[in-house]
Amino acid sequence: MNNESIDKASKELWENAKAIYILSLRNLEEKSQAERNLGMMITSVANEGKVFKIYTSTQFAADLIRREYLNKLKGSFLVAGAPEDIDIEVVYDKNAKPSLILPEAIHPSPMPVQQSATVSTFVSTQPLNEDYTFEEFVRGPSNSFALSAAEGVVKNPGKTGYNPLFIHGGTGLGKTHLMQSIGNELHKRNPAMAICYLTAETFLNEYVNSLQNGQLDAFRKKYRSLDMLLIDDVQFFQKGKNVQEEFFNTFNSLRDNHKQIVMTSDVAPKNLPSIEERLISRFEGGMVQEVESPSYETRLAILKKKAEAYDTTVPNSAFEFIADNIKSHVRAMEGALGKVIIYINSFPQTLLNNQILANILKDFIEKEQSLRKLTVLEIQQACAKKYSVTMADILSHERTQSIVTPRQLAMYIARKYTSKGLQEIADAFGKKHATVINGVKTITQRLDNEADLKVDLEEILSSFGYRLSDAMD
Ligand code: ADP
Ligand code: MG
């Protein structure tokens, strides 16, 4: 091998080992932290015989990677195909120039037709993930509206009706992926567009820093001169009134100039209690779309799509097992798939039956089940409180609508968000089976037509740390 191909092979090995490692992490926070750290802190890698060197340009990064990741990475290197006796070293080199983060990895190359466009000198505050594209996003009933809205923004950025686009839904359901797909696609179509992606948390931090450093003007100028602002996880703005004010002004300035704004949040605008009313109404002023948990078929399709990125053949039964057992988050499904792939690569001779799969995915399955610990009493109390009625009302046979709604809603939540049986639920309400079934049916129908009821449900669920999308099939 010549130097260049050694270099390429080292990078590939590193990318694979890193991906396997991140995939194997269970906790979402850990995953994104590892992704950030291992993505941004490492300047280059080199495979020197038996020693694999990971370079960083700061002592801090070297220490952190040694401390937090070095031991854990070793297994992933083996799974990625490194020789058994490989030694991994973290090297601090203050002269190291970044070579891992290639500019074209951040900005996909423009389409030929667009070559005459002036290339924007603006660089997004946080890089877009080049894998988050429309091509990689699987459409299903749970995300179809949000996806269409995102496609609409690409066709008509800044157009009234689509501006702002607000996408909400539970963690790991594809909000960031969709939002970045808009950024990646528009960048491809028009490289001159000043597109900026960042999380609300980063916006807040930058705002605070610019205040401290007396650079507020520069901060404002930067965000108000964009062509498109993609701002992720705006629920974070609940942390501070001042940043809300700042964002409000940025928002208005962009909107007034017909510049596109896309936001995501884990709950609907109405359910952001600590965000000022005037901002909420701005958020709702364009298009609000929800992503929900994917159906079984969509889960299967997503898993198959994700598996294409690996050289490993995953048996259908494994896809089905994952789709059957992990329903709440796509990110958890991906983690589970990663674990299965690691297993297949490590033990290619073993037949993957459901028992083995259950074993490999034990942690994921337990996590999924721990979502189901709510008691019916807690649900009844929360519904009574939300509608200002008493527990006695909930348990009574009173038929006035103001009492029937919270009672039936409680039945609905107990049925859809816990694994309790019908008998147990009926007993908790002192009612017959049929009454519970009827209550659940009524709420299901009303939810299709009554946005307010859905918002109430979302609010009650969120008081338990649940999302709409946590419903069981
Ligand atoms: P969120 O921002 O809602 O928490 P992400 O956008 O980070 O979720 O998605 C989590 C993971 O799930 C990502 O790797 C993303 O690619 C994947 N994902 C979610 N929905 C889909 C989908 N419909 N098709 C393909 N991948 C998806
Ligand atoms: Mg996200």
Side-chain angles (χ1 to χ4, degrees):
M1 277 207 280
N2 61 26
N3 279 346
E4 201 176 314
S5 50
I6 291 176
D7 203 19
K8 190 157 171 261
S10 312
K11 275 184 196 167
E12 232 166 57
L13 175 60
W14 165 243
E15 287 303 330
N16 290 339
K18 182 174 74 175
I20 289 170
Y21 171 68
I22 293 173
L23 275 174
S24 75
L25 295 171
R26 257 184 306 135
N27 177 302
L28 303 183
E29 285 310 307
E30 273 179 26
K31 260 184 198 297
S32 45
Q33 200 173 22
E35 206 164 20
R36 269 197 307 273
N37 289 344
L38 297 175
M40 290 161 71
M41 292 185 162
I42 289 162
T43 46
S44 64
V45 293
N47 199 355
E48 301 177 2
K50 289 206 177 346
V51 186
F52 192 95
K53 291 189 173 165
I54 299 174
Y55 290 93
T56 69
S57 59
T58 67
Q59 186 63 49
F60 168 75
D63 291 341
L64 183 124
I65 301 216
R66 267 189 216 117
R67 193 177 60 237
E68 299 290 341
Y69 300 105
L70 195 54
N71 281 334
K72 301 178 201 152
L73 274 169
K74 176 107 192 229
S76 309
F77 267 90
L78 298 185
V79 176
E84 199 116 43
D85 53 352
I86 192 166
D87 235 346
I88 305 163
E89 239 179 73
V90 180
V91 186
Y92 157 45
D93 174 2
K94 69 174 185 301
N95 300 316
K97 296 225 167 37
S99 71
L100 273 180
I101 308 163
L102 304 168
E104 53 275 29
I106 298 169
H107 298 294
S109 46
M111 289 190 337
V113 253
Q114 302 285 347
Q115 264 171 2
S116 58
T118 343
V119 174
S120 167
T121 48
F122 181 82
V123 179
S124 177
T125 302
Q126 291 172 258
L128 291 172
N129 180 334
E130 62 176 330
D131 295 331
Y132 286 171
T133 59
F134 285 113
E135 290 76 28
E136 293 298 318
F137 194 83
V138 176
R139 184 188 284 271
S142 56
N143 59 39
S144 180
F145 291 115
L147 175 54
S148 299
E151 288 165 344
V153 166
V154 168
K155 284 200 197 100
N156 284 300
K159 193 176 158 202
T160 332
Y162 281 104
N163 198 16
L165 170 61
F166 190 105
I167 303 172
H168 68 98
T171 323
L173 295 182
K175 300 183 299 294
T176 300
H177 186 143
L178 264 184
M179 168 182 256
Q180 294 205 6
S181 299
I182 300 175
N184 277 322
E185 183 62 29
L186 276 173
H187 176 75
K188 195 162 84 182
R189 292 188 184 193
N190 182 3
M193 216 174 150
I195 298 170
C196 181
Y197 167 83
L198 81 170
T199 62
E201 182 178 6
T202 305
F203 185 90
L204 183 141
N205 289 337
E206 260 194 46
Y207 168 66
V208 171
N209 284 342
S210 72
L211 269 179
Q212 279 167 355
N213 305 333
Q215 288 171 338
L216 198 53
D217 282 346
F219 173 85
R220 287 185 172 147
K221 200 161 157 227
K222 172 176 163 191
Y223 286 103
R224 292 176 199 186
S225 59
L226 295 172
D227 293 319
M228 181 163 80
L229 176 61
L230 307 170
I231 186 147
D232 212 351
D233 293 321
V234 296
Q235 72 273 6
F236 200 85
F237 283 146
Q238 298 188 98
K239 301 233 179 226
K241 285 276 171 252
N242 290 343
V243 74
Q244 285 181 30
E245 174 75 27
E246 187 60 37
F247 183 66
F248 182 72
N249 293 326
T250 305
F251 183 103
N252 288 340
S253 158
L254 289 173
R255 250 221 69 159
D256 291 348
N257 291 304
H258 306 287
K259 304 299 188 189
Q260 180 71 42
I261 301 151
V262 182
M263 290 172 279
T264 72
S265 153
D266 61 356
V267 292
K270 273 192 192 144
N271 287 332
L272 291 165
S274 316
I275 289 194
E276 285 175 56
E277 201 45 48
R278 57 185 183 148
L279 256 172
I280 304 271
S281 71
R282 287 288 192 290
F283 289 177
E284 289 174 330
M287 187 175 276
V288 178
Q289 292 297 342
E290 183 179 2
V291 284
E292 296 179 47
S293 282
S295 64
Y296 179 75
E297 291 77 14
T298 313
R299 293 202 291 278
L300 265 188
I302 293 174
L303 284 166
K304 290 183 178 173
K305 180 118 216 162
K306 297 286 175 193
E308 285 169 11
Y310 299 86
D311 279 338
T312 309
T313 312
V314 179
N316 237 333
S317 58
F319 287 131
E320 286 163 9
F321 185 90
I322 299 174
D324 262 334
N325 287 285
I326 297 166
K327 302 171 180 171
S328 47
H329 302 158
V330 178
R331 207 177 279 133
M333 285 166 36
E334 273 186 89
L337 176 66
K339 251 192 140 170
V340 170
I341 288 176
I342 292 176
Y343 186 88
I344 295 176
N345 287 332
S346 315
F347 306 100
Q349 315 298 356
T350 319
L351 200 68
L352 267 188
N353 59 27
N354 281 2
Q355 204 182 345
I356 293 183
L357 284 165
N359 225 334
I360 305 174
L361 301 177
K362 197 162 155 271
D363 293 345
F364 287 95
I365 296 169
E366 273 170 12
K367 176 119 196 276
E368 190 81 12
Q369 284 164 350
S370 72
L371 270 173
R372 314 274 169 231
K373 295 230 171 91
L374 269 182
T375 66
V376 181
L377 179 64
E378 284 172 311
I379 297 170
Q380 291 168 330
Q381 285 169 337
C383 291
K385 182 163 164 233
K386 171 74 198 153
Y387 286 86
S388 309
V389 299
T390 63
M391 268 304 280
D393 290 332
I394 296 276
L395 299 177
S396 73
H397 291 268
E398 177 66 53
R399 304 285 276 272
T400 44
Q401 198 53 44
S402 59
I403 293 174
V404 170
T405 297
R407 183 189 298 141
Q408 292 187 330
L409 196 57
M411 292 173 176
Y412 177 90
I413 296 175
R415 193 77 184 120
K416 299 277 180 181
Y417 292 85
T418 75
S419 45
K420 307 248 177 315
L422 205 49
Q423 183 64 55
E424 196 179 343
I425 298 173
D427 288 349
F429 282 87
K431 303 278 186 307
K432 299 203 178 74
H433 271 185
T435 312
V436 176
I437 293 174
N438 181 49
V440 173
K441 199 168 127 208
T442 308
I443 295 293
T444 309
Q445 285 163 352
R446 287 182 59 191
L447 284 171
D448 273 343
N449 306 310
E450 297 175 40
D452 285 352
L453 185 65
K454 198 166 176 186
V455 169
D456 289 348
L457 170 62
E458 196 173 42
E459 201 174 295
I460 294 166
L461 289 173
S462 78
S463 72
F464 298 126
Y466 279 43
R467 320 254 174 238
L468 282 176
S469 53
D470 289 329
M472 302 198 287
D473 286 345

